[in-house]
Amino acid sequence: MGEKIMFGHSNMDLDCFGSLSMARYLYPGHLMVRSGRIHPVAKNLYTVYRDHLEMITAKELKKHSIDEVVIMDTRQYDRVKEYFRFIPDFSGKITVYDHHCETDCDIPGASVYDGDFGANTSMLCMELLKRDIHVDENDATIALAGIYADTGNFSHGNVTGRDFQAAQYLMEHGASLNAVGKLLSKLREEHQVSLFHRLLNTIQFHNIQGYSIITSWMKLEGQMAGLAAVIERIFEVEDADAYIAVFELEKEGSHLLIGRAGNPRIDLNIIMNSFGGAGHPQAASALIKNSSGFPIYAHLLNMLEQRLKHALTSMELMREAVTISRKMTLLDSALRLEESGNSGAPVVDEDERLVGMITLRDIQKGRKAGQMNAPVHAYMTRNVIHADRNTTIREIEQMFYRHDIGHLPILEDEKVVGQVTRSDYIKFLQNNGDFREIIPQE
């Protein structure tokens, strides 16, 4: 009878290690196999926990007779072919655990378990929680690092409540936040700090279909450890919807693209797929081999212009305008706001043109002064910040932050056609998972 093994995708990342550290409890006795390539962000973790993980290398599979395979964090054959290369006669059972639900499985005969999770590790944790299985504190720490890394510290748009449940499960089993923090800390090396400053000086700012996109292009001799951490740090520093860095690798004759996105309507996985890469909607990369001399950077910019649909605007966010006539009294204004359920409204003149803004707070001042029969224009705010139908939601966000306002009238031909309130914006933030499909799949 043959042996049973489990492994993750090539270029193993933290979520891959986290998934395997949990899978060993679902599949006790299975040998864990390590890829020949470990992603730079996961190398420190593997160095620290090497003895605990007890993994064999893919090459060592030649010494074993395998009759069952369990695969973590991918359902694409190209990402696991390095393992099957050493077991060419394998014809046994294949089970896949992969949270990339949007990807088709091309591994022949595989049974796939998937679900809506921000991290693949979370899916394994939830299965262990359901079975009331306890895990070792070291495995709990490895798994928590995987969840933190793949969810962007629980900030990515694909994070679900079950990712938090998984993290709680791991904390209850002794996961160390201190260790996770050290494993995830960025820019440890001198060359990373140097590259960070060099890249900052090459950044180009673009407004592409209403999105704030930053890009950079740089020549490197070859691939460098910790590039992704540098990109993430720059993305954290710069206020942009997405950042894509293009590295021309001179010795290899290749190009490496690494991207990060914060806007849930920009799917970097689809973008990188166009270059033969992969990843997540908010973090993806692509290595384009034998591409020396090709204008990859120009092609990237052109593709973004063509394939990104326009960013959401005030049209998708605004509510119907409830206006107040400048001739109305504060009392009439208060009744109108109460009837409409608004805390503020634009004030208009006889031609429906914007002349001010009145809020319940302004009316309260008149009430305290015993002036509820005073005309509304005596208490309204003048020189009102406003937007138009084509103002993007990103621009609206900046208006709220910069001017500390709670109501933003939307104008067309100088007339009020709607307004966006702070509560409208908050609802948008809470429901941004519903706003996808900006880059249509071909």
Side-chain angles (χ1 to χ4, degrees):
M1 188 172 180
E3 294 178 282
K4 306 177 191 309
I5 61 173
M6 56 184 175
F7 50 76
H9 54 72
S10 294
N11 201 22
M12 296 174 69
D13 58 16
L14 288 169
D15 192 29
C16 196
F17 278 108
S19 298
L20 288 169
S21 71
M22 296 294 96
R24 69 198 307 183
Y25 293 90
L26 294 175
Y27 297 92
H30 282 53
L31 295 172
M32 288 201 296
V33 188
R34 173 175 63 82
S35 167
R37 295 173 57 213
I38 297 178
H39 194 285
V41 75
K43 283 186 176 179
N44 289 332
L45 179 143
Y46 181 67
T47 298
V48 172
Y49 291 101
R50 180 197 300 262
D51 294 338
H52 174 76
L53 289 169
E54 297 182 307
M55 305 179 82
I56 66 172
T57 65
K59 288 184 179 180
E60 291 179 86
L61 289 175
K62 292 187 291 186
K63 306 173 185 177
H64 300 267
S65 174
I66 308 301
D67 64 11
E68 184 177 338
V69 167
V70 179
I71 300 173
M72 296 291 147
D73 203 25
T74 186
R75 61 187 75 187
Q76 295 178 297
Y77 181 78
D78 278 349
R79 303 192 72 193
V80 292
K81 64 183 179 182
E82 72 161 296
Y83 304 99
F84 286 107
R85 187 159 55 95
F86 296 106
I87 49 174
D89 299 323
F90 174 78
S91 60
K93 179 182 178 181
I94 302 177
T95 305
V96 171
Y97 289 83
D98 179 39
H99 70 135
H100 301 97
C101 301
E102 72 284 354
T103 306
D104 293 329
C105 180
D106 63 359
I107 301 174
S111 298
V112 179
Y113 292 90
D114 59 18
D116 187 17
F117 295 90
N120 199 70
T121 303
S122 299
M123 178 164 50
L124 278 298
C125 288
M126 294 307 293
E127 187 61 32
L128 293 174
L129 177 61
K130 185 168 67 176
R131 301 186 191 186
D132 195 26
I133 296 176
H134 295 265
V135 300
D136 170 83
E137 62 182 16
N138 288 321
D139 288 315
T141 299
I142 295 169
L144 189 60
I147 294 175
Y148 263 81
D150 232 43
T151 61
N153 296 342
F154 298 97
S155 66
H156 289 171
N158 61 344
V159 175
T160 70
R162 290 184 291 179
D163 292 295
F164 287 96
Q165 284 182 273
Q168 179 182 357
Y169 165 79
L170 296 171
M171 291 295 295
E172 290 172 352
H173 284 81
S176 168
L177 276 177
N178 181 55
V180 170
K182 290 184 180 297
L183 292 168
L184 294 178
S185 64
K186 300 166 184 175
L187 309 192
R188 291 172 175 266
E189 306 297 332
E190 186 177 329
H191 74 269
Q192 289 179 300
V193 176
S194 174
L195 182 63
F196 171 79
H197 291 291
R198 287 166 57 200
L199 275 174
L200 278 177
N201 291 326
T202 70
I203 281 178
Q204 298 292 316
F205 294 85
H206 314 269
N207 186 318
I208 301 178
Q209 302 292 9
Y211 298 103
S212 174
I213 309 289
I214 57 175
T215 63
S216 58
W217 176 88
M218 179 178 287
K219 283 188 177 183
L220 296 176
E221 286 191 14
Q223 290 205 49
M224 183 184 297
L227 278 179
V230 176
I231 301 307
E232 287 193 12
R233 183 64 184 133
I234 291 177
F235 183 59
E236 290 171 1
V237 170
E238 297 293 339
D239 181 24
D241 290 312
Y243 172 39
I244 302 177
V246 179
F247 297 100
E248 184 176 347
L249 309 177
E250 295 183 289
K251 283 188 177 180
E252 302 174 18
S254 304
H255 285 80
L256 176 64
L257 279 65
I258 303 176
R260 295 293 183 267
N263 190 315
R265 290 175 60 89
I266 298 177
D267 192 330
L268 288 178
N269 184 45
I270 296 176
I271 293 175
M272 293 303 176
N273 279 343
S274 301
F275 294 95
H280 298 281
Q282 294 179 303
S285 62
L287 178 62
I288 311 168
K289 297 181 178 179
N290 303 316
S291 58
S292 179
F294 286 89
I296 300 298
Y297 181 71
H299 179 60
L300 171 67
L301 294 179
N302 186 52
M303 189 197 73
L304 290 172
E305 285 282 2
Q306 292 181 356
R307 298 194 64 192
L308 281 176
K309 289 186 178 179
H310 201 281
L312 288 174
T313 66
S314 61
M315 292 282 290
E316 285 81 18
L317 208 57
M318 72 181 189
R319 62 175 67 187
E320 184 179 354
V322 174
T323 58
I324 303 289
S325 169
R326 65 181 300 173
K327 295 182 178 180
M328 293 176 70
T329 64
L330 286 182
L331 179 59
D332 291 335
S333 300
L335 292 173
R336 183 160 175 75
L337 290 178
E338 184 178 345
E339 289 171 0
S340 63
N342 286 283
S343 60
V347 180
V348 297
D349 63 15
E350 295 78 3
D351 297 319
E352 296 295 319
R353 298 182 188 278
L354 179 69
V355 294
M357 175 67 68
I358 191 73
T359 68
L360 292 176
R361 185 178 298 178
D362 299 322
I363 294 173
Q364 185 62 23
K365 293 177 183 177
R367 191 186 306 277
K368 288 181 178 179
Q371 297 292 318
M372 289 302 286
N373 288 318
V376 71
H377 64 78
Y379 283 85
M380 72 183 185
T381 299
R382 303 172 190 272
N383 300 318
V384 179
I385 303 299
H386 59 271
D388 60 38
R389 289 179 179 269
N390 296 319
T391 303
T392 66
I393 291 178
R394 179 180 178 80
E395 292 169 330
I396 289 174
E397 173 186 79
Q398 293 171 341
M399 289 177 179
F400 281 136
Y401 292 160
R402 186 179 302 122
H403 302 290
D404 190 23
I405 56 176
H407 304 81
L408 183 68
I410 308 300
L411 305 188
E412 183 176 28
D413 297 329
E414 299 184 29
K415 296 184 178 181
V416 178
V417 294
Q419 77 166 329
V420 177
T421 68
R422 233 184 329 234
S423 60
D424 296 327
Y425 174 65
I426 291 171
K427 288 178 183 177
F428 167 75
L429 290 181
Q430 292 175 334
N431 296 302
N432 63 4
D434 294 333
F435 298 95
R436 298 276 180 168
E437 296 300 318
I438 282 298
I439 306 176
Q441 299 199 41
E442 296 177 345

